[in-house]
Amino acid sequence: MIDFTEEQIERYSRHIILPEVGAEGQSKLLESKVFMIGAGGLGSPVAYYLAAAGVGTIGIADADVVDMSNLQRQIIHNQDRIGMPKVESARETMQALNPDVKVNTYNYFITEDNVREIIRDYDLIIDGCDNFPTRFLVNDACYFEKKPLISGAMFRFEGQVATFKPHQQKGAPCYRCLYPEPPPAGLVPSCSEAGILGALAGAVGTIQAVEAVKELLGIGDSLAGKLMVFDALRMEWKKLKLHKDPACPLCGENPTITDLSTYEQACELKFGE
Amino acid sequence: MKIRLNGEAKNVDATTVSSLIVELGLETRMLAVERNLEVVPRSQYETTALCEGDRIEVVHMIGGG
């Protein structure tokens, strides 16, 4: 266990006092490594809260720069950072909040060529990206590298959160058991085309952050095998049961996806450039 | 058969999830189907029978972040 400094004891006192966390749990968080895909709407609250919680190493990947239209929901950035790489802006905010945290920045796209090597160094992966090809790539890479994945997505007034760890629990599904393949190009409008309620990002992202801390500590009920669906207009959270699909092309009985190169071809066919 | 579809009462001819999708004209590549708070795996649409009073909801595939 880590020898806490006096400042750390004070900083994390509200965690340490929780019997489920304690000094041991806080020490575990400080030694944990989490990788976050996306420093946008979901990445903002996730990275912010994980930094506050004292997750010792946080990797964050995003190839974008901060834009004025991001600031309606991406609260880890601010007006002075417009034009700055999002990962740099995120690092500044996180380290201003908690200098204990080491932030690794990846200011480029996650691809089939780099994703496995990157995630290998981390204990837990969190997806808050803004496109389907990356979602499928990250799911497949986490499956092959046996990393737990907390996936979050949102659109207009709706959010979804699920934890996938098919390698850890028998019968636990992966993202492809829910959605087997990416949608055809052009059928899915992006946030910029369809709009998104800014505070929804906080609702969805903080659920991801809560689940991340629970997974790292191994406390409570995991969201593995569940899908949380949030409807902000009805103000309703639903917890749905997810089943492993025996016909899943990745983790099913007769997988057709056996490495990431298969994924690349499927995506080129479906998405093109 | 009477079911609740997306929170509203509806009479349908379909007897399976698969035939319900056809009846409603849904694009399956973009959604998942929830039956009584459980997501039905896509490979089991044909073998999953609908029952009177089932609560069916369409879960849309969303990808924003």
Side-chain angles (χ1 to χ4, degrees):
Chain A
M1 201 167 83
I2 285 172
D3 280 332
F4 292 108
T5 63
E6 269 183 43
E7 191 189 289
Q8 284 177 318
I9 290 171
E10 195 176 352
R11 176 183 289 273
Y12 303 118
S13 59
R14 304 304 192 271
H15 267 170
I16 292 169
I17 206 169
L18 290 169
E20 291 81 356
V21 182
E24 205 175 313
Q26 188 59 53
S27 179
K28 209 188 253 185
L29 292 178
L30 284 161
E31 289 169 329
S32 294
K33 302 176 87 177
V34 173
F35 182 59
M36 175 79 222
I37 297 132
L42 296 175
S44 288
V46 171
Y48 223 145
Y49 271 110
L50 293 187
V55 170
T57 305
I58 302 172
I60 188 157
D62 200 307
D64 267 353
V65 296
V66 179
D67 180 85
M68 183 70 92
S69 68
N70 300 148
L71 301 178
Q72 160 255 23
R73 65 197 179 286
Q74 301 182 14
I75 58 165
I76 208 161
H77 312 302
N78 65 50
Q79 185 139 350
D80 295 338
R81 311 254 180 88
I82 287 171
M84 182 190 283
K86 284 186 178 178
V87 291
E88 289 305 324
S89 166
R91 169 157 56 190
E92 281 189 20
T93 305
M94 290 154 78
Q95 287 186 330
L97 176 64
N98 187 352
D100 271 354
V101 175
K102 181 183 176 213
V103 180
N104 298 330
T105 57
Y106 302 81
N107 187 22
Y108 45 80
F109 289 106
I110 294 300
T111 68
E112 53 276 9
D113 295 324
N114 61 26
V115 64
R116 288 184 70 163
E117 203 183 319
I118 294 172
I119 66 174
R120 215 165 276 162
D121 283 341
Y122 292 91
D123 306 312
L124 173 70
I125 314 303
I126 304 184
D127 192 0
C129 78
D130 64 355
N131 67 86
F132 285 110
T134 305
R135 288 182 183 279
F136 283 85
L137 173 67
V138 168
N139 175 68
D140 297 358
C142 285
Y143 178 71
F144 292 129
E145 292 295 329
K146 299 182 169 32
K147 299 289 180 184
L149 168 65
I150 299 178
S151 177
M154 53 182 187
F155 185 69
R156 291 182 174 145
F157 295 93
E158 196 189 333
Q160 296 178 4
V161 181
T163 298
F164 300 109
K165 37 183 187 181
H167 56 282
Q168 271 184 28
Q169 288 170 337
K170 204 163 179 271
C174 78
Y175 183 71
R176 284 185 188 266
C177 295
L178 171 62
Y179 304 120
E181 55 185 9
L187 270 187
V188 187
S190 67
C191 276
S192 55
E193 291 161 355
I196 183 142
L197 189 76
L200 176 68
V204 177
T206 49
I207 295 285
Q208 285 183 282
V210 168
E211 287 306 307
V213 170
K214 283 168 56 193
E215 287 289 341
L216 293 172
L217 295 175
I219 59 170
D221 298 327
S222 168
L223 258 191
K226 305 283 190 310
L227 172 69
M228 299 295 301
V229 178
F230 180 54
D231 181 336
L233 289 178
R234 288 195 214 164
M235 193 41 81
E236 192 175 81
W237 274 106
K238 272 198 304 189
K239 185 156 79 173
L240 310 180
K241 204 179 238 183
L242 281 183
H243 298 279
K244 190 181 195 77
D245 191 341
C248 174
L250 181 69
C251 72
E253 287 159 9
N254 298 298
T256 52
I257 298 164
T258 52
D259 58 45
L260 296 181
S261 59
T262 313
Y263 168 89
E264 183 185 19
Q265 285 162 9
C267 273
E268 273 172 6
L269 280 175
K270 291 204 171 69
F271 287 89
E273 277 294 304
Chain B
M1 168 174 9
K2 250 192 190 157
I3 60 169
R4 287 193 77 82
L5 178 70
N6 298 327
E8 290 181 13
K10 188 166 174 78
N11 259 310
V12 295
D13 296 327
T15 55
T16 63
V17 169
S18 166
S19 52
L20 180 70
I21 285 167
V22 174
E23 187 174 332
L24 300 173
L26 299 173
E27 165 59 74
T28 53
R29 286 175 301 178
M30 297 290 299
L31 53 83
V33 175
E34 167 211 335
R35 174 173 172 264
N36 302 330
L37 296 179
E38 297 195 21
V39 173
V40 181
R42 200 170 291 183
S43 68
Q44 290 166 15
Y45 284 179
E46 277 182 37
T47 54
T48 303
L50 294 180
C51 298
E52 189 81 24
D54 270 357
R55 284 171 302 153
I56 305 288
E57 301 244 352
V58 172
V59 180
H60 293 281
M61 187 174 187
I62 59 175

